[in-house]
Structures are given as structure tokens and as C-alpha cells.
Amino acid sequence: MWMRMTIITLCSFIEAINADTLFVPVGVPISFVIAESHSGDVIVFEEGSHLGPITPFGRNLTLGSRMIVDGDQSWTDRTAIEAPVDFEDSSSAAIFCHGEQNITLVGLTLRGATGTYDELYGTQAGGCVYVNRSNVKFDNCRLTGGSAFYGGGLFVSGTPWQRDAHVQLCNSVLDSCQALEWGGGVYASHCTLTVRNTSFEDISCGMATAAINALTSHVELESLRVSRCTGGVGGVAVYGGWGRVVASEFIENSTPETGFCNDLYVSDFWGVVERCVFHDEHAPFPSVFIGGPYGETFFRGNILEDNSTSTVTGTLIINNRNGNLMTHNIFRNNRNILGGALFAFGDADAIVEFNTFVGNSSMDAEGGSVLRSNTRGTPRLVNNIISGNFGNCVSMNSAYPVRIDARNNWWGHESGPYHPTLNPTGQGDTL
């Protein structure tokens, strides 16, 4: 009798257009609605602000705004799930940690507070959304104002080596989120992470990566726009993973004085970075870092332009002996403190071929505006266009004298590069 009365009470608040679609007005507790739902149901939130969290407790649901009904994307900004602020261990707008295998969020704004307590990490995680060992899809969502130690916007974690968490984040926006330690926008660990057609704006991290921090995960990152993000890595970092970073734009990101790089940091990464643009970064550290003792990264078809560094030299830094391939990229109008649009150190043996270097310069005239070698390895600079750069194009640290293969490049003139003793009649760029 009590259950029947409860259903009658709920039906006075919830308009059902059929057995598996519920419309939820503002003011109805989300927990009441979910308690009466079943896997496969569709829950539509009416325009306004709803008090979360969304916690399906194992049910596989589709949850969203009226965008589900009419496809109008403007419902996203008009329909919000607010995180509760009066629970110490659970203050995310949505929590998926009961093995949900098919959750879809459509056209919702999720406003976070301080995240949900994670036992493994021993602290708060997922300011807006917390995902643990569950599968979640986001479409046309906005995650904003979240703050946590890990994953200010979104935290996703699977079981180590099983990767039993899968998240797809598409056509969405993350903005004004922050992490005190790792992943101001997204923190992902031991999972599969797919992010497409999504922007990250004004995101910060106190210690490490601002926009996306992925650890030991399979990542598919495509058509991202990462702008005005600040952290140890301003943009995206992938540690010990594999996958792709494709067709993305990184602009005006930065690092503090204790940072690593502005835009993209990949370490022990097996994968491809291609068709990305890195530009207008003016900070102490480089735009891109590729390294780690393991992995093999193909960096091809990218543009790095109008960047400058004032502390650690190099627009792109590469280290370690991984056979990394840098090909068909454009390095244009970059300026570095000691030279090196490309800076090789450690045991770097990168193959640098079929690239274009133009308009690059060094604050140190002897610094090597195109390539600065500070390595025990053997970088190959072959078959490139090197023209219109300023000062010496190639230099090395005298403490690490190595033989640099610099054959078959075009130096701006058929006579080859100018060198006072090796090629004094050369009229091309200075070697």
C-alpha cells in the first residue's frame, strides 16, 4: 500500500508520455524519479535548475533536457543539474559508480561543487561528474564550475589493467573548472577516453595538467579546442597510454614558473599526434613535449606557429631513444631563449624529415633557431625546407658533441647553407 501511494504521489509531479519516458519539473527530487525508473528509461528534465546528484544505482538510463525531444541545442544552457553542497563525501552533480554499462547524458549543464570522495585516491574527485568502473556518454553537455583534487570537471577511473570504465565526451564544453592536483578539466585513469568536438576554456590546475590528464589509458582525442588553460601542462597530458590526438587547436595556454609545457605533453605514448595547431603561446615553457623511456610517437602534419619561450628553450622538445618520427609539420615564427624550434635532448634519436621551418629565431644568436641539440643521441634532420630563419639554424651543446645528419635539406638557395668554413659561398640560411 505504501509503494502504491508513493507512485500516485510521484505521478502528480511527473508527466509520463509513455512507460519509459518521464518529464521532470523543477523541484522534484531526482532521487525519487530514479527510484521509480528501470534500465532503458528516458528521463527528461524540464527547463531550470535541478538539485543533484544524478545517481542511477546501476540502472542504464538516458538523461537529458528537452533536446532529447526536439534536438534544440539551446536547452543545454537552460537546463542544469546542480551539485549538492551539504554532503562531505558526495558533492558532484552526477555520480556513476555502481557498474552502469550504458548511461547517456544529452543537452545538460552540470555544475559541480567539490567532488566525490574516492577511496583509492583518498580525496575528492570529479567536481561536476564522478565515474568509477562505469560507461558514460556525454552529448552536447556543459561541465562548468567544478572543483576537486582530481578532475575538476570530470573524473573517470577503471580498475588497474582491466580498464572497465569507458567515457565518450562529444560536442560539449568544459569551462571554469579547476583541480588542486591533477586534471582541471578531465582526469582519466585506467580507462578508455574518447573526446570529440569539445572545447576546454579557462581551466586551471594547481600542480599538473589543466585540460585533460590521462594515465595508462586508451585515448581518442579529436577536434578539440583548448584555450586559456593554465597548469603544469596547460593543455593535454597522456602518460603511459596509447591512441591519437587529432585535428585539435591549442591557443593561449600557459604554465606557471614551475610548469612543464603549454599545450601537449606525451610520455611513454604509443600513438599519433596529427593535424593539430599550436599557436600564440607566450610562456616560460615549450608548447609540446614528447618523451619518456618507452613508447613511439608519430608527430605529423601539425602546425606550430607564433610561440615563444623564455625559460626552457624549444617550441617542441623531444627526448629519449624511441625512434619518434617528426614529419610534414610546419614550424613558423617561433622564438626561443636558446634556440630550437625543435629541441632534442637526453638520448633523442628522432627522425625529422619533410618539415618546413620558416621565420624561427633565437634570443641567443648562436642558439640554433631550427634545431638545438643537447643530446647523446643522433637526431636526423633530413629532407626538410629550412628557409628564412634568423641566425644560425642548427647548434649543439658543446658538452654533448654529436654528429647531426642534416642532408638533403633546402636552405633557401641552391648554393646551400652559409657556413664560414664548410660552405662560405652558401647563400641560404646560416648553418
Side-chain angles (χ1 to χ4, degrees), residues 238-241 264-270 288-297 317-324 326 343 345-350 376:
V238 182
Y239 303 88
L264 178 65
Y265 183 103
V266 293
S267 179
D268 299 337
F269 177 69
W270 285 265
V288 180
F289 179 98
I290 298 173
Y294 306 103
E296 187 176 39
T297 302
I317 290 182
I318 185 165
N319 80 329
N320 289 327
R321 193 179 297 276
N322 296 328
N324 300 298
M326 317 279 115
F343 178 64
F345 80 104
D347 293 318
D349 62 350
R376 297 176 296 274

PDB file of all heavy atoms in Angstrom, residues 238-241 264-270 288-297 317-324 326 343 345-350 376:
ATOM      1  N   VAL A 238      49.270  12.901 -21.639  1.00  0.00           N
ATOM      2  CA  VAL A 238      48.997  11.460 -21.676  1.00  0.00           C
ATOM      3  C   VAL A 238      50.242  10.748 -21.175  1.00  0.00           C
ATOM      4  O   VAL A 238      51.320  10.890 -21.749  1.00  0.00           O
ATOM      5  CB  VAL A 238      48.645  10.982 -23.094  1.00  0.00           C
ATOM      6  CG1 VAL A 238      48.329   9.490 -23.079  1.00  0.00           C
ATOM      7  CG2 VAL A 238      47.477  11.768 -23.662  1.00  0.00           C
ATOM      8  N   TYR A 239      50.087   9.987 -20.105  1.00  0.00           N
ATOM      9  CA  TYR A 239      51.193   9.255 -19.507  1.00  0.00           C
ATOM     10  C   TYR A 239      50.944   7.751 -19.657  1.00  0.00           C
ATOM     11  O   TYR A 239      49.939   7.235 -19.194  1.00  0.00           O
ATOM     12  CB  TYR A 239      51.320   9.570 -18.012  1.00  0.00           C
ATOM     13  CG  TYR A 239      51.506  11.026 -17.677  1.00  0.00           C
ATOM     14  CD1 TYR A 239      50.408  11.855 -17.478  1.00  0.00           C
ATOM     15  CD2 TYR A 239      52.783  11.574 -17.535  1.00  0.00           C
ATOM     16  CE1 TYR A 239      50.570  13.193 -17.148  1.00  0.00           C
ATOM     17  CE2 TYR A 239      52.950  12.912 -17.210  1.00  0.00           C
ATOM     18  CZ  TYR A 239      51.836  13.717 -17.014  1.00  0.00           C
ATOM     19  OH  TYR A 239      52.000  15.037 -16.693  1.00  0.00           O
ATOM     20  N   GLY A 240      51.862   7.064 -20.299  1.00  0.00           N
ATOM     21  CA  GLY A 240      51.783   5.619 -20.365  1.00  0.00           C
ATOM     22  C   GLY A 240      50.552   5.092 -21.062  1.00  0.00           C
ATOM     23  O   GLY A 240      49.972   4.096 -20.643  1.00  0.00           O
ATOM     24  N   GLY A 241      50.113   5.741 -22.128  1.00  0.00           N
ATOM     25  CA  GLY A 241      48.915   5.303 -22.826  1.00  0.00           C
ATOM     26  C   GLY A 241      49.143   5.149 -24.313  1.00  0.00           C
ATOM     27  O   GLY A 241      50.280   5.207 -24.802  1.00  0.00           O
ATOM     28  N   LEU A 264      50.773  20.317 -25.034  1.00  0.00           N
ATOM     29  CA  LEU A 264      50.654  18.867 -25.139  1.00  0.00           C
ATOM     30  C   LEU A 264      51.898  18.202 -24.590  1.00  0.00           C
ATOM     31  O   LEU A 264      53.023  18.479 -25.023  1.00  0.00           O
ATOM     32  CB  LEU A 264      50.452  18.458 -26.599  1.00  0.00           C
ATOM     33  CG  LEU A 264      50.355  16.955 -26.872  1.00  0.00           C
ATOM     34  CD1 LEU A 264      49.113  16.355 -26.212  1.00  0.00           C
ATOM     35  CD2 LEU A 264      50.342  16.680 -28.372  1.00  0.00           C
ATOM     36  N   TYR A 265      51.690  17.270 -23.644  1.00  0.00           N
ATOM     37  CA  TYR A 265      52.780  16.524 -23.027  1.00  0.00           C
ATOM     38  C   TYR A 265      52.459  15.046 -23.165  1.00  0.00           C
ATOM     39  O   TYR A 265      51.447  14.570 -22.644  1.00  0.00           O
ATOM     40  CB  TYR A 265      52.898  16.910 -21.547  1.00  0.00           C
ATOM     41  CG  TYR A 265      54.043  16.273 -20.787  1.00  0.00           C
ATOM     42  CD1 TYR A 265      55.200  16.991 -20.497  1.00  0.00           C
ATOM     43  CD2 TYR A 265      53.953  14.964 -20.334  1.00  0.00           C
ATOM     44  CE1 TYR A 265      56.240  16.422 -19.781  1.00  0.00           C
ATOM     45  CE2 TYR A 265      54.995  14.385 -19.617  1.00  0.00           C
ATOM     46  CZ  TYR A 265      56.132  15.115 -19.345  1.00  0.00           C
ATOM     47  OH  TYR A 265      57.159  14.554 -18.628  1.00  0.00           O
ATOM     48  N   VAL A 266      53.262  14.300 -23.916  1.00  0.00           N
ATOM     49  CA  VAL A 266      53.049  12.861 -24.044  1.00  0.00           C
ATOM     50  C   VAL A 266      54.313  12.145 -23.602  1.00  0.00           C
ATOM     51  O   VAL A 266      55.417  12.441 -24.071  1.00  0.00           O
ATOM     52  CB  VAL A 266      52.641  12.438 -25.471  1.00  0.00           C
ATOM     53  CG1 VAL A 266      51.270  12.995 -25.807  1.00  0.00           C
ATOM     54  CG2 VAL A 266      53.652  12.872 -26.507  1.00  0.00           C
ATOM     55  N   SER A 267      54.148  11.207 -22.674  1.00  0.00           N
ATOM     56  CA  SER A 267      55.273  10.462 -22.133  1.00  0.00           C
ATOM     57  C   SER A 267      54.944   8.977 -22.174  1.00  0.00           C
ATOM     58  O   SER A 267      53.855   8.572 -21.730  1.00  0.00           O
ATOM     59  CB  SER A 267      55.553  10.908 -20.693  1.00  0.00           C
ATOM     60  OG  SER A 267      56.626  10.184 -20.136  1.00  0.00           O
ATOM     61  N   ASP A 268      55.858   8.169 -22.698  1.00  0.00           N
ATOM     62  CA  ASP A 268      55.614   6.730 -22.863  1.00  0.00           C
ATOM     63  C   ASP A 268      54.313   6.505 -23.629  1.00  0.00           C
ATOM     64  O   ASP A 268      53.470   5.690 -23.242  1.00  0.00           O
ATOM     65  CB  ASP A 268      55.551   6.029 -21.504  1.00  0.00           C
ATOM     66  CG  ASP A 268      56.850   6.161 -20.721  1.00  0.00           C
ATOM     67  OD1 ASP A 268      57.893   6.393 -21.350  1.00  0.00           O
ATOM     68  OD2 ASP A 268      56.806   6.031 -19.485  1.00  0.00           O
ATOM     69  N   PHE A 269      54.176   7.215 -24.733  1.00  0.00           N
ATOM     70  CA  PHE A 269      52.935   7.220 -25.506  1.00  0.00           C
ATOM     71  C   PHE A 269      53.151   6.506 -26.825  1.00  0.00           C
ATOM     72  O   PHE A 269      54.042   6.865 -27.599  1.00  0.00           O
ATOM     73  CB  PHE A 269      52.483   8.661 -25.746  1.00  0.00           C
ATOM     74  CG  PHE A 269      51.252   8.800 -26.598  1.00  0.00           C
ATOM     75  CD1 PHE A 269      50.019   8.394 -26.127  1.00  0.00           C
ATOM     76  CD2 PHE A 269      51.327   9.360 -27.867  1.00  0.00           C
ATOM     77  CE1 PHE A 269      48.875   8.533 -26.901  1.00  0.00           C
ATOM     78  CE2 PHE A 269      50.191   9.511 -28.654  1.00  0.00           C
ATOM     79  CZ  PHE A 269      48.958   9.093 -28.170  1.00  0.00           C
ATOM     80  N   TRP A 270      52.329   5.514 -27.096  1.00  0.00           N
ATOM     81  CA  TRP A 270      52.323   4.828 -28.384  1.00  0.00           C
ATOM     82  C   TRP A 270      51.156   5.378 -29.196  1.00  0.00           C
ATOM     83  O   TRP A 270      49.993   5.081 -28.889  1.00  0.00           O
ATOM     84  CB  TRP A 270      52.137   3.320 -28.202  1.00  0.00           C
ATOM     85  CG  TRP A 270      53.354   2.600 -27.709  1.00  0.00           C
ATOM     86  CD1 TRP A 270      54.290   1.954 -28.463  1.00  0.00           C
ATOM     87  CD2 TRP A 270      53.769   2.409 -26.351  1.00  0.00           C
ATOM     88  NE1 TRP A 270      55.259   1.380 -27.664  1.00  0.00           N
ATOM     89  CE2 TRP A 270      54.959   1.643 -26.365  1.00  0.00           C
ATOM     90  CE3 TRP A 270      53.245   2.830 -25.114  1.00  0.00           C
ATOM     91  CZ2 TRP A 270      55.631   1.291 -25.192  1.00  0.00           C
ATOM     92  CZ3 TRP A 270      53.919   2.484 -23.954  1.00  0.00           C
ATOM     93  CH2 TRP A 270      55.092   1.714 -24.005  1.00  0.00           C
ATOM     94  N   VAL A 288      55.066  21.861 -26.851  1.00  0.00           N
ATOM     95  CA  VAL A 288      54.876  20.406 -26.932  1.00  0.00           C
ATOM     96  C   VAL A 288      56.093  19.704 -26.364  1.00  0.00           C
ATOM     97  O   VAL A 288      57.234  20.106 -26.625  1.00  0.00           O
ATOM     98  CB  VAL A 288      54.645  19.962 -28.392  1.00  0.00           C
ATOM     99  CG1 VAL A 288      54.457  18.450 -28.473  1.00  0.00           C
ATOM    100  CG2 VAL A 288      53.446  20.680 -29.001  1.00  0.00           C
ATOM    101  N   PHE A 289      55.844  18.635 -25.606  1.00  0.00           N
ATOM    102  CA  PHE A 289      56.914  17.780 -25.084  1.00  0.00           C
ATOM    103  C   PHE A 289      56.594  16.335 -25.426  1.00  0.00           C
ATOM    104  O   PHE A 289      55.495  15.852 -25.143  1.00  0.00           O
ATOM    105  CB  PHE A 289      57.050  17.936 -23.570  1.00  0.00           C
ATOM    106  CG  PHE A 289      58.131  17.062 -22.964  1.00  0.00           C
ATOM    107  CD1 PHE A 289      59.388  17.586 -22.688  1.00  0.00           C
ATOM    108  CD2 PHE A 289      57.890  15.735 -22.666  1.00  0.00           C
ATOM    109  CE1 PHE A 289      60.388  16.790 -22.137  1.00  0.00           C
ATOM    110  CE2 PHE A 289      58.878  14.929 -22.116  1.00  0.00           C
ATOM    111  CZ  PHE A 289      60.133  15.459 -21.848  1.00  0.00           C
ATOM    112  N   ILE A 290      57.567  15.624 -26.038  1.00  0.00           N
ATOM    113  CA  ILE A 290      57.412  14.205 -26.362  1.00  0.00           C
ATOM    114  C   ILE A 290      58.595  13.469 -25.762  1.00  0.00           C
ATOM    115  O   ILE A 290      59.740  13.758 -26.096  1.00  0.00           O
ATOM    116  CB  ILE A 290      57.349  13.981 -27.881  1.00  0.00           C
ATOM    117  CG1 ILE A 290      56.131  14.696 -28.472  1.00  0.00           C
ATOM    118  CG2 ILE A 290      57.302  12.495 -28.209  1.00  0.00           C
ATOM    119  CD1 ILE A 290      56.077  14.662 -29.981  1.00  0.00           C
ATOM    120  N   GLY A 291      58.332  12.518 -24.858  1.00  0.00           N
ATOM    121  CA  GLY A 291      59.443  11.845 -24.223  1.00  0.00           C
ATOM    122  C   GLY A 291      59.037  10.595 -23.485  1.00  0.00           C
ATOM    123  O   GLY A 291      58.024   9.966 -23.785  1.00  0.00           O
ATOM    124  N   GLY A 292      59.844  10.249 -22.484  1.00  0.00           N
ATOM    125  CA  GLY A 292      59.664   9.017 -21.739  1.00  0.00           C
ATOM    126  C   GLY A 292      60.532   7.915 -22.297  1.00  0.00           C
ATOM    127  O   GLY A 292      60.848   7.892 -23.494  1.00  0.00           O
ATOM    128  N   PRO A 293      60.933   6.960 -21.453  1.00  0.00           N
ATOM    129  CA  PRO A 293      61.814   5.883 -21.917  1.00  0.00           C
ATOM    130  C   PRO A 293      61.143   4.851 -22.796  1.00  0.00           C
ATOM    131  O   PRO A 293      61.810   4.020 -23.408  1.00  0.00           O
ATOM    132  CB  PRO A 293      62.290   5.238 -20.602  1.00  0.00           C
ATOM    133  CG  PRO A 293      61.205   5.547 -19.614  1.00  0.00           C
ATOM    134  CD  PRO A 293      60.677   6.881 -19.999  1.00  0.00           C
ATOM    135  N   TYR A 294      59.809   4.874 -22.857  1.00  0.00           N
ATOM    136  CA  TYR A 294      59.081   3.893 -23.657  1.00  0.00           C
ATOM    137  C   TYR A 294      58.183   4.620 -24.662  1.00  0.00           C
ATOM    138  O   TYR A 294      58.094   5.827 -24.677  1.00  0.00           O
ATOM    139  CB  TYR A 294      58.248   2.970 -22.766  1.00  0.00           C
ATOM    140  CG  TYR A 294      59.053   2.311 -21.680  1.00  0.00           C
ATOM    141  CD1 TYR A 294      58.981   2.771 -20.372  1.00  0.00           C
ATOM    142  CD2 TYR A 294      59.900   1.246 -21.966  1.00  0.00           C
ATOM    143  CE1 TYR A 294      59.738   2.175 -19.365  1.00  0.00           C
ATOM    144  CE2 TYR A 294      60.656   0.646 -20.977  1.00  0.00           C
ATOM    145  CZ  TYR A 294      60.577   1.114 -19.678  1.00  0.00           C
ATOM    146  OH  TYR A 294      61.322   0.529 -18.690  1.00  0.00           O
ATOM    147  N   GLY A 295      57.488   3.860 -25.477  1.00  0.00           N
ATOM    148  CA  GLY A 295      56.551   4.453 -26.424  1.00  0.00           C
ATOM    149  C   GLY A 295      57.187   4.778 -27.745  1.00  0.00           C
ATOM    150  O   GLY A 295      58.407   4.698 -27.951  1.00  0.00           O
ATOM    151  N   GLU A 296      56.342   5.175 -28.691  1.00  0.00           N
ATOM    152  CA  GLU A 296      56.776   5.605 -30.020  1.00  0.00           C
ATOM    153  C   GLU A 296      55.708   6.537 -30.565  1.00  0.00           C
ATOM    154  O   GLU A 296      54.575   6.119 -30.809  1.00  0.00           O
ATOM    155  CB  GLU A 296      56.974   4.404 -30.946  1.00  0.00           C
ATOM    156  CG  GLU A 296      57.578   4.770 -32.293  1.00  0.00           C
ATOM    157  CD  GLU A 296      57.842   3.530 -33.132  1.00  0.00           C
ATOM    158  OE1 GLU A 296      57.004   2.603 -33.096  1.00  0.00           O
ATOM    159  OE2 GLU A 296      58.873   3.494 -33.822  1.00  0.00           O
ATOM    160  N   THR A 297      56.056   7.790 -30.735  1.00  0.00           N
ATOM    161  CA  THR A 297      55.094   8.804 -31.128  1.00  0.00           C
ATOM    162  C   THR A 297      55.378   9.287 -32.539  1.00  0.00           C
ATOM    163  O   THR A 297      56.501   9.665 -32.866  1.00  0.00           O
ATOM    164  CB  THR A 297      55.138   9.999 -30.159  1.00  0.00           C
ATOM    165  OG1 THR A 297      54.875   9.539 -28.825  1.00  0.00           O
ATOM    166  CG2 THR A 297      54.097  11.036 -30.534  1.00  0.00           C
ATOM    167  N   ILE A 317      59.921  19.952 -27.636  1.00  0.00           N
ATOM    168  CA  ILE A 317      61.032  19.236 -27.008  1.00  0.00           C
ATOM    169  C   ILE A 317      60.821  17.740 -27.208  1.00  0.00           C
ATOM    170  O   ILE A 317      59.720  17.230 -27.001  1.00  0.00           O
ATOM    171  CB  ILE A 317      61.132  19.556 -25.507  1.00  0.00           C
ATOM    172  CG1 ILE A 317      61.594  20.999 -25.306  1.00  0.00           C
ATOM    173  CG2 ILE A 317      62.087  18.598 -24.808  1.00  0.00           C
ATOM    174  CD1 ILE A 317      61.770  21.397 -23.861  1.00  0.00           C
ATOM    175  N   ILE A 318      61.878  17.064 -27.598  1.00  0.00           N
ATOM    176  CA  ILE A 318      61.807  15.613 -27.739  1.00  0.00           C
ATOM    177  C   ILE A 318      63.022  15.004 -27.070  1.00  0.00           C
ATOM    178  O   ILE A 318      64.135  15.525 -27.174  1.00  0.00           O
ATOM    179  CB  ILE A 318      61.721  15.204 -29.223  1.00  0.00           C
ATOM    180  CG1 ILE A 318      61.522  13.699 -29.337  1.00  0.00           C
ATOM    181  CG2 ILE A 318      62.934  15.659 -29.992  1.00  0.00           C
ATOM    182  CD1 ILE A 318      61.070  13.276 -30.706  1.00  0.00           C
ATOM    183  N   ASN A 319      62.797  13.898 -26.329  1.00  0.00           N
ATOM    184  CA  ASN A 319      63.933  13.244 -25.695  1.00  0.00           C
ATOM    185  C   ASN A 319      63.780  11.734 -25.750  1.00  0.00           C
ATOM    186  O   ASN A 319      62.730  11.205 -26.125  1.00  0.00           O
ATOM    187  CB  ASN A 319      64.101  13.723 -24.246  1.00  0.00           C
ATOM    188  CG  ASN A 319      63.153  13.048 -23.279  1.00  0.00           C
ATOM    189  OD1 ASN A 319      62.045  12.671 -23.637  1.00  0.00           O
ATOM    190  ND2 ASN A 319      63.577  12.914 -22.044  1.00  0.00           N
ATOM    191  N   ASN A 320      64.838  11.044 -25.399  1.00  0.00           N
ATOM    192  CA  ASN A 320      64.909   9.592 -25.306  1.00  0.00           C
ATOM    193  C   ASN A 320      64.910   8.890 -26.671  1.00  0.00           C
ATOM    194  O   ASN A 320      64.450   9.429 -27.676  1.00  0.00           O
ATOM    195  CB  ASN A 320      63.819   9.025 -24.415  1.00  0.00           C
ATOM    196  CG  ASN A 320      64.088   9.353 -22.947  1.00  0.00           C
ATOM    197  OD1 ASN A 320      65.237   9.427 -22.536  1.00  0.00           O
ATOM    198  ND2 ASN A 320      63.044   9.563 -22.185  1.00  0.00           N
ATOM    199  N   ARG A 321      65.413   7.681 -26.630  1.00  0.00           N
ATOM    200  CA  ARG A 321      65.692   6.923 -27.853  1.00  0.00           C
ATOM    201  C   ARG A 321      64.493   6.032 -28.180  1.00  0.00           C
ATOM    202  O   ARG A 321      64.490   4.838 -27.911  1.00  0.00           O
ATOM    203  CB  ARG A 321      66.958   6.092 -27.653  1.00  0.00           C
ATOM    204  CG  ARG A 321      67.543   5.505 -28.923  1.00  0.00           C
ATOM    205  CD  ARG A 321      68.814   4.719 -28.596  1.00  0.00           C
ATOM    206  NE  ARG A 321      69.850   5.573 -28.057  1.00  0.00           N
ATOM    207  CZ  ARG A 321      70.694   6.289 -28.792  1.00  0.00           C
ATOM    208  NH1 ARG A 321      70.626   6.251 -30.109  1.00  0.00           N
ATOM    209  NH2 ARG A 321      71.621   7.031 -28.227  1.00  0.00           N
ATOM    210  N   ASN A 322      63.471   6.635 -28.773  1.00  0.00           N
ATOM    211  CA  ASN A 322      62.264   5.879 -29.098  1.00  0.00           C
ATOM    212  C   ASN A 322      61.970   5.799 -30.581  1.00  0.00           C
ATOM    213  O   ASN A 322      60.949   5.255 -30.983  1.00  0.00           O
ATOM    214  CB  ASN A 322      61.054   6.502 -28.401  1.00  0.00           C
ATOM    215  CG  ASN A 322      61.157   6.434 -26.896  1.00  0.00           C
ATOM    216  OD1 ASN A 322      61.734   5.498 -26.368  1.00  0.00           O
ATOM    217  ND2 ASN A 322      60.614   7.418 -26.202  1.00  0.00           N
ATOM    218  N   GLY A 323      62.838   6.370 -31.416  1.00  0.00           N
ATOM    219  CA  GLY A 323      62.578   6.356 -32.842  1.00  0.00           C
ATOM    220  C   GLY A 323      61.365   7.183 -33.232  1.00  0.00           C
ATOM    221  O   GLY A 323      60.661   6.867 -34.195  1.00  0.00           O
ATOM    222  N   ASN A 324      61.100   8.263 -32.476  1.00  0.00           N
ATOM    223  CA  ASN A 324      59.951   9.108 -32.781  1.00  0.00           C
ATOM    224  C   ASN A 324      60.123   9.775 -34.140  1.00  0.00           C
ATOM    225  O   ASN A 324      61.216  10.189 -34.515  1.00  0.00           O
ATOM    226  CB  ASN A 324      59.780  10.172 -31.700  1.00  0.00           C
ATOM    227  CG  ASN A 324      59.558   9.561 -30.327  1.00  0.00           C
ATOM    228  OD1 ASN A 324      58.582   8.864 -30.101  1.00  0.00           O
ATOM    229  ND2 ASN A 324      60.484   9.811 -29.412  1.00  0.00           N
ATOM    230  N   MET A 326      59.083  12.838 -36.678  1.00  0.00           N
ATOM    231  CA  MET A 326      58.524  14.180 -36.849  1.00  0.00           C
ATOM    232  C   MET A 326      58.484  14.463 -38.345  1.00  0.00           C
ATOM    233  O   MET A 326      59.535  14.666 -38.967  1.00  0.00           O
ATOM    234  CB  MET A 326      59.397  15.242 -36.183  1.00  0.00           C
ATOM    235  CG  MET A 326      59.928  14.901 -34.800  1.00  0.00           C
ATOM    236  SD  MET A 326      58.734  15.189 -33.510  1.00  0.00           S
ATOM    237  CE  MET A 326      58.481  13.515 -32.954  1.00  0.00           C
ATOM    238  N   PHE A 343      63.894  21.035 -30.106  1.00  0.00           N
ATOM    239  CA  PHE A 343      64.974  20.899 -29.139  1.00  0.00           C
ATOM    240  C   PHE A 343      65.113  19.432 -28.777  1.00  0.00           C
ATOM    241  O   PHE A 343      64.158  18.809 -28.285  1.00  0.00           O
ATOM    242  CB  PHE A 343      64.671  21.735 -27.898  1.00  0.00           C
ATOM    243  CG  PHE A 343      65.703  21.646 -26.803  1.00  0.00           C
ATOM    244  CD1 PHE A 343      66.988  22.112 -27.019  1.00  0.00           C
ATOM    245  CD2 PHE A 343      65.387  21.111 -25.571  1.00  0.00           C
ATOM    246  CE1 PHE A 343      67.949  22.050 -26.012  1.00  0.00           C
ATOM    247  CE2 PHE A 343      66.333  21.048 -24.556  1.00  0.00           C
ATOM    248  CZ  PHE A 343      67.617  21.514 -24.775  1.00  0.00           C
ATOM    249  N   PHE A 345      67.039  16.459 -26.627  1.00  0.00           N
ATOM    250  CA  PHE A 345      67.947  16.234 -25.504  1.00  0.00           C
ATOM    251  C   PHE A 345      67.799  14.807 -24.997  1.00  0.00           C
ATOM    252  O   PHE A 345      67.018  14.016 -25.511  1.00  0.00           O
ATOM    253  CB  PHE A 345      67.717  17.263 -24.396  1.00  0.00           C
ATOM    254  CG  PHE A 345      66.549  16.987 -23.501  1.00  0.00           C
ATOM    255  CD1 PHE A 345      66.741  16.492 -22.215  1.00  0.00           C
ATOM    256  CD2 PHE A 345      65.248  17.230 -23.917  1.00  0.00           C
ATOM    257  CE1 PHE A 345      65.675  16.240 -21.389  1.00  0.00           C
ATOM    258  CE2 PHE A 345      64.174  16.996 -23.086  1.00  0.00           C
ATOM    259  CZ  PHE A 345      64.385  16.486 -21.803  1.00  0.00           C
ATOM    260  N   GLY A 346      68.572  14.462 -23.944  1.00  0.00           N
ATOM    261  CA  GLY A 346      68.575  13.094 -23.454  1.00  0.00           C
ATOM    262  C   GLY A 346      69.299  12.201 -24.443  1.00  0.00           C
ATOM    263  O   GLY A 346      70.442  12.459 -24.826  1.00  0.00           O
ATOM    264  N   ASP A 347      68.626  11.158 -24.894  1.00  0.00           N
ATOM    265  CA  ASP A 347      69.179  10.259 -25.906  1.00  0.00           C
ATOM    266  C   ASP A 347      68.373  10.336 -27.195  1.00  0.00           C
ATOM    267  O   ASP A 347      68.222   9.345 -27.909  1.00  0.00           O
ATOM    268  CB  ASP A 347      69.177   8.809 -25.395  1.00  0.00           C
ATOM    269  CG  ASP A 347      70.125   8.604 -24.233  1.00  0.00           C
ATOM    270  OD1 ASP A 347      71.239   9.140 -24.299  1.00  0.00           O
ATOM    271  OD2 ASP A 347      69.741   7.929 -23.262  1.00  0.00           O
ATOM    272  N   ALA A 348      67.854  11.495 -27.511  1.00  0.00           N
ATOM    273  CA  ALA A 348      66.928  11.648 -28.627  1.00  0.00           C
ATOM    274  C   ALA A 348      67.545  11.185 -29.944  1.00  0.00           C
ATOM    275  O   ALA A 348      68.658  11.583 -30.307  1.00  0.00           O
ATOM    276  CB  ALA A 348      66.486  13.099 -28.746  1.00  0.00           C
ATOM    277  N   ASP A 349      66.796  10.351 -30.648  1.00  0.00           N
ATOM    278  CA  ASP A 349      67.230   9.901 -31.976  1.00  0.00           C
ATOM    279  C   ASP A 349      66.118  10.134 -32.994  1.00  0.00           C
ATOM    280  O   ASP A 349      65.948   9.364 -33.929  1.00  0.00           O
ATOM    281  CB  ASP A 349      67.627   8.425 -31.939  1.00  0.00           C
ATOM    282  CG  ASP A 349      66.468   7.514 -31.542  1.00  0.00           C
ATOM    283  OD1 ASP A 349      65.426   8.039 -31.115  1.00  0.00           O
ATOM    284  OD2 ASP A 349      66.605   6.283 -31.671  1.00  0.00           O
ATOM    285  N   ALA A 350      65.349  11.193 -32.796  1.00  0.00           N
ATOM    286  CA  ALA A 350      64.185  11.461 -33.638  1.00  0.00           C
ATOM    287  C   ALA A 350      64.567  11.608 -35.104  1.00  0.00           C
ATOM    288  O   ALA A 350      65.637  12.116 -35.453  1.00  0.00           O
ATOM    289  CB  ALA A 350      63.488  12.721 -33.165  1.00  0.00           C
ATOM    290  N   ARG A 376      72.753  12.993 -26.322  1.00  0.00           N
ATOM    291  CA  ARG A 376      73.756  11.961 -26.608  1.00  0.00           C
ATOM    292  C   ARG A 376      73.306  11.075 -27.760  1.00  0.00           C
ATOM    293  O   ARG A 376      74.005  10.148 -28.160  1.00  0.00           O
ATOM    294  CB  ARG A 376      73.981  11.112 -25.346  1.00  0.00           C
ATOM    295  CG  ARG A 376      74.546  11.886 -24.171  1.00  0.00           C
ATOM    296  CD  ARG A 376      74.642  11.017 -22.928  1.00  0.00           C
ATOM    297  NE  ARG A 376      73.324  10.587 -22.472  1.00  0.00           N
ATOM    298  CZ  ARG A 376      72.542  11.302 -21.655  1.00  0.00           C
ATOM    299  NH1 ARG A 376      72.975  12.490 -21.221  1.00  0.00           N
ATOM    300  NH2 ARG A 376      71.369  10.853 -21.279  1.00  0.00           N
TER     301      ARG A 376
END
